[in-house]
Amino acid sequence: MNAFWIILTGSLVATCCSLLGCYLILRRMAMVGDAISHAVLPGIVIAFLLTGSRDSVPMLIGAGLLGVLTTFLIEFFHRYARVQADAAIGVTFTWLFAIGIILISVFAGQVDLDQDCVLYGEIAYVPLDLWITESGLSMGPRTVWTLSITTLLIILFIVLGYKELFLTTFDPAFAAAIGISTSLWYYLLMTAVSLTTVASFESVGAILVVAFLVAPPATAYLLTDNFKVMLVLSVLLGILASVGGYYLAVWLDGSIAGAIATVTGMEFLLAILFSPSRGLLIRRKQLQPV
């Protein structure tokens, strides 16, 4: 049963991260997830200082607010300070992460804070944190319920805002010309990324979240030119990596998150080599004289 919960958790994270990752890849902002996963550290510390509790809820709220702030700062530096997007991401997350480190060092004597409780989750522990009702009924891992709600919200967001997200991603000038606010949809997308990242990395770890945000969408991008197909493919690739990575970890007796991330990399490598339209080996074979 533990295997089922771990694979289900990985599949839920893969679904919401891969869907949003497709937009990030096309907007050339693939490392936003990595930036958020580091920049939320001061939010975790401040949440503890204000509440005196290490419960997940206040820390997730603090991390979520800092994640949203991170996306606003990235866009501010990029748009108004004329800094390149990748530089804006790098400056923002290193600055906020450093502030978090300073807060921990200054309040080290007062703060009994383990960063691992939120920032560096472990997917293998998912089956241990059960939601048990007052009557003693086990409803399964809390994480599965949290991620299920998050995934449904992300799917609903993409379905309802598909046209606006599509236009602001592929042709922002045309979107602005027909009255669609590119800034509004940028911030909505980044807020969705922030909340998904924060909700996910408590359970599976920041590295796996970043892997799902980047690798499956990048692999799907190599396999198709149809955006809707890209969305579906990225989700399927993420779920396949969750299943394959779990059994690879069991076989190797190693890290589950590391194995899943490794499988996503293997999928990307196979796509680079054998993609029907962009594969290196396929193109070389087509270029060979008959």
Side-chain angles (χ1 to χ4, degrees), residues 15-16 19 150-161:
T15 299
C16 49
L19 289 173
T150 302
T151 302
L152 289 175
L153 290 175
I154 295 303
I155 293 174
L156 186 63
F157 169 64
I158 290 177
V159 170
L160 295 180

Side-chain angles (χ1 to χ4, degrees), residues 51-81:
T51 64
S53 171
R54 291 188 296 176
D55 291 339
S56 295
V57 174
M59 289 195 175
L60 283 176
I61 293 174
L65 292 175
L66 258 292
V68 174
L69 174 63
T70 300
T71 63
F72 276 84
L73 288 175
I74 290 172
E75 178 65 5
F76 176 82
F77 293 146
H78 176 55
R79 176 168 298 186
Y80 297 103

Side-chain angles (χ1 to χ4, degrees), residues 31-105:
M31 296 311 294
V32 164
D34 186 41
I36 292 173
S37 67
H38 288 81
V40 297
L41 183 58
I44 296 172
V45 180
I46 293 171
F48 178 84
L49 292 174
L50 293 177
T51 64
S53 171
R54 291 188 296 176
D55 291 339
S56 295
V57 174
M59 289 195 175
L60 283 176
I61 293 174
L65 292 175
L66 258 292
V68 174
L69 174 63
T70 300
T71 63
F72 276 84
L73 288 175
I74 290 172
E75 178 65 5
F76 176 82
F77 293 146
H78 176 55
R79 176 168 298 186
Y80 297 103
R82 304 295 182 182
V83 177
Q84 294 292 333
D86 55 347
I89 292 172
V91 169
T92 302
F93 94 76
T94 51
W95 175 48
L96 291 176
F97 187 67
I99 291 175
I101 296 297
I102 291 173
L103 287 174
I104 289 179
S105 64

Side-chain angles (χ1 to χ4, degrees), residues 172-229:
F174 176 73
I178 62 175
I180 297 176
S181 174
T182 56
S183 296
L184 172 63
W185 285 97
Y186 167 83
Y187 286 124
L188 287 176
L189 176 63
M190 291 300 109
T191 300
V193 172
S194 175
L195 296 179
T196 298
T197 302
V198 171
S200 300
F201 65 51
E202 180 197 15
S203 309
V204 303
I207 293 177
L208 190 53
V209 172
V210 175
F212 278 138
L213 279 171
V214 178
T219 305
Y221 177 78
L222 294 173
L223 297 175
T224 181
D225 293 322
N226 185 303
F227 184 64
K228 289 184 178 180
V229 174

Side-chain angles (χ1 to χ4, degrees), residues 242-255:
S242 298
V243 177
Y246 173 79
Y247 287 106
L248 175 63
V250 171
W251 180 56
L252 296 174
D253 191 23
S255 166

